[in-house]
Amino acid sequence: MIKRPRRLRGNEIIRNMVRETRVSKASLIYPMFVRDGEGIREEIPSMKGQYRYTVDQMYYELERVSDAGVNMVMLFGIPECKDEAASQAYADNGVIQRALREAKKRFPHLYYITDVCLCEYTSHGHCGMLKGHDVDNDETLKVLAKTALSHVQAGADMVAPSDMMDGRVRAIRNLLDQNQYTNIPIMSYAVKYASGFYEPFRDAAESAPSFGDRKTYQMDYHNSREGIREVLLDEEEGADIIMVKPALAYLDMITRVKEVTNLPVAAYSVSGEYAMIKAATEKGWINEEKIVCETAVAAFRAGAQSYLTYYAKELARYIDEGKIG
Ligand code: PBG
């Protein structure tokens, strides 16, 4: 035998030398839930270890995130009052707007991305304005753009539309540019599937649709070319970063997307992925650390440059400890 792949697996040093995928804390983004109210830090039952924080409690978590060496957070807002118009999504004193103003004051070195969507703010839980039982695409665009602008005015460094309406990236880009925010990037949830993996999130954000489902706007998971179409449209509309979501069940899409765009690609390891690992860990059936490392590296190996994960703090520690890297 001349060719023996095991020669390059002989010890840690040589294995590290030929490693193909390098993981860095700089690529991690930590999603957080901020709610209206005061003095509250409540654990999300389906996402053990993740909490809804009021603005005054959010600081402690931002400190932990920052101490772990994670520099980017993605903020989701949970308003006290939801209505048909999603008015708290763009209210000047809305939960995200207040959170941003305060967080930027106390932790100016962190980078703040906001999820731009209406499902957390509508009384019916759909991601847009309703006309009868349908989500009205073009009416929704105006509200999304207004919401994104209000986030940026409150201090968001980047906005991330996750609603899956047609034309939302352009609508947001136009309004930001008209207001001189030409340098604020848009990370588009371009390849977002109608997925059962969001269930714990909807519990966390109290955003489950009160009727129907999200299949008229999020994508059918049987399709991959449709995802590519979304990527190309969003690139044309001015997206700066393309996101694939969920991550674990869509690794093929991360790789395919990399082939068709030169934009950076992010992957979102969503609430259901987190919940499954947590639940199996609690049962003692898997080793949490090993599974978290392996699934994260899988997303990077597939081609992601950045990774949104509820395990960001833990991953940062694993990287520090040399468990992955
Ligand atoms: C808002 C939004 C959702 C997620 C991110 N932004 C929920 C949904 O589309 O139903 C899911 C995130 C997660 O599951 O961790 N539209």
Side-chain angles (χ1 to χ4, degrees):
M1 237 190 294
I2 295 174
K3 297 184 178 173
R4 290 179 182 273
R6 288 187 59 198
R7 287 188 198 116
L8 300 183
R9 295 179 203 142
N11 66 35
E12 184 87 24
I13 294 178
I14 186 73
R15 285 196 297 271
N16 277 346
M17 190 267 261
V18 298
R19 187 164 271 178
E20 298 172 41
T21 307
R22 306 268 174 203
V23 183
S24 152
K25 290 196 277 188
S27 49
L28 300 176
I29 304 167
Y30 183 57
M32 281 179 69
F33 300 97
V34 192
R35 54 159 288 167
D36 265 330
E38 228 187 287
I40 302 169
R41 169 187 186 267
E42 52 187 3
E43 190 164 28
I44 299 158
S46 52
M47 298 177 72
K48 287 276 163 61
Q50 302 303 313
Y51 298 81
R52 302 186 195 99
Y53 303 95
T54 49
V55 173
D56 57 298
Q57 299 295 306
M58 170 191 70
Y59 303 126
Y60 303 108
E61 184 64 2
L62 287 176
E63 188 150 33
R64 284 188 284 271
V65 172
S66 170
D67 288 348
V70 175
N71 297 318
M72 300 185 127
V73 292
M74 162 84 97
L75 298 181
F76 293 94
I78 309 164
E80 193 76 63
C81 299
K82 306 186 186 227
D83 57 30
E84 292 261 313
S87 56
Q88 285 300 304
Y90 48 85
D92 190 46
N93 64 348
V95 58
I96 284 292
Q97 289 78 358
R98 280 186 293 113
L100 282 166
R101 271 186 231 109
E102 297 299 319
K104 289 283 272 197
K105 251 184 258 162
R106 293 245 204 144
F107 295 91
H109 58 286
L110 291 177
Y111 193 97
Y112 298 90
I113 308 172
T114 57
D115 181 86
V116 175
C117 194
L118 305 181
C119 60
E120 300 99 317
Y121 302 92
T122 51
S123 41
H124 45 74
H126 277 288
C127 300
M129 300 292 102
L130 287 188
K131 195 189 263 170
H133 269 190
D134 286 332
V135 173
D136 185 333
N137 191 88
D138 299 7
E139 275 309 304
T140 302
L141 296 185
K142 298 175 197 157
V143 187
L144 288 168
K146 198 154 70 166
T147 301
L149 177 62
S150 81
H151 289 178
V152 173
Q153 285 168 333
D157 297 297
M158 182 191 291
V159 289
S162 68
D163 52 283
M164 288 301 279
M165 297 302 128
D166 295 333
R168 81 282 175 66
V169 173
R170 174 159 295 152
I172 291 171
R173 184 75 273 157
N174 283 346
L175 192 63
L176 292 184
D177 288 359
Q178 281 161 26
N179 287 273
Q180 277 69 56
Y181 292 114
T182 49
N183 288 328
I184 297 290
I186 300 175
M187 173 160 67
S188 174
Y189 287 71
V191 188
K192 176 169 176 176
Y193 286 92
S195 167
F197 283 99
Y198 310 147
E199 214 76 41
F201 173 96
R202 290 176 191 169
D203 191 23
E206 296 153 0
S207 65
S210 59
F211 65 90
D213 52 37
R214 303 209 200 290
K215 287 183 184 166
T216 68
Y217 35 104
Q218 299 177 354
M219 281 190 302
D220 178 354
Y221 58 71
H222 298 74
N223 300 345
S224 55
R225 292 166 68 234
E226 186 186 3
I228 301 304
R229 187 172 182 218
E230 288 283 1
V231 170
L232 298 178
L233 282 171
D234 283 6
E235 181 164 359
E236 231 171 78
E237 289 179 29
D240 299 281
I241 299 175
I242 295 293
M243 190 204 294
V244 175
K245 172 184 174 203
L248 197 52
Y250 298 88
L251 295 175
D252 58 324
M253 288 310 295
I254 300 174
T255 306
R256 285 204 63 184
V257 168
K258 280 292 278 257
E259 287 161 6
V260 299
T261 180
N262 291 319
L263 295 178
V265 176
Y268 193 153
S269 177
V270 298
S271 56
E273 300 177 47
Y274 177 85
M276 289 195 306
I277 298 176
K278 272 288 171 211
T281 301
E282 271 177 16
K283 290 270 190 190
W285 291 341
I286 59 167
N287 176 316
E288 182 176 43
E289 183 178 301
K290 286 186 181 167
I291 301 294
V292 170
C293 289
E294 195 172 327
T295 48
V297 168
F300 288 108
R301 192 184 61 237
Q305 269 128 331
S306 33
Y307 190 55
L308 295 105
T309 172
Y310 301 97
Y311 276 117
K313 285 175 296 176
E314 290 79 358
L315 269 169
R317 196 177 71 238
Y318 303 149
I319 292 169
D320 283 340
E321 292 169 354
K323 304 228 162 77
I324 49 170

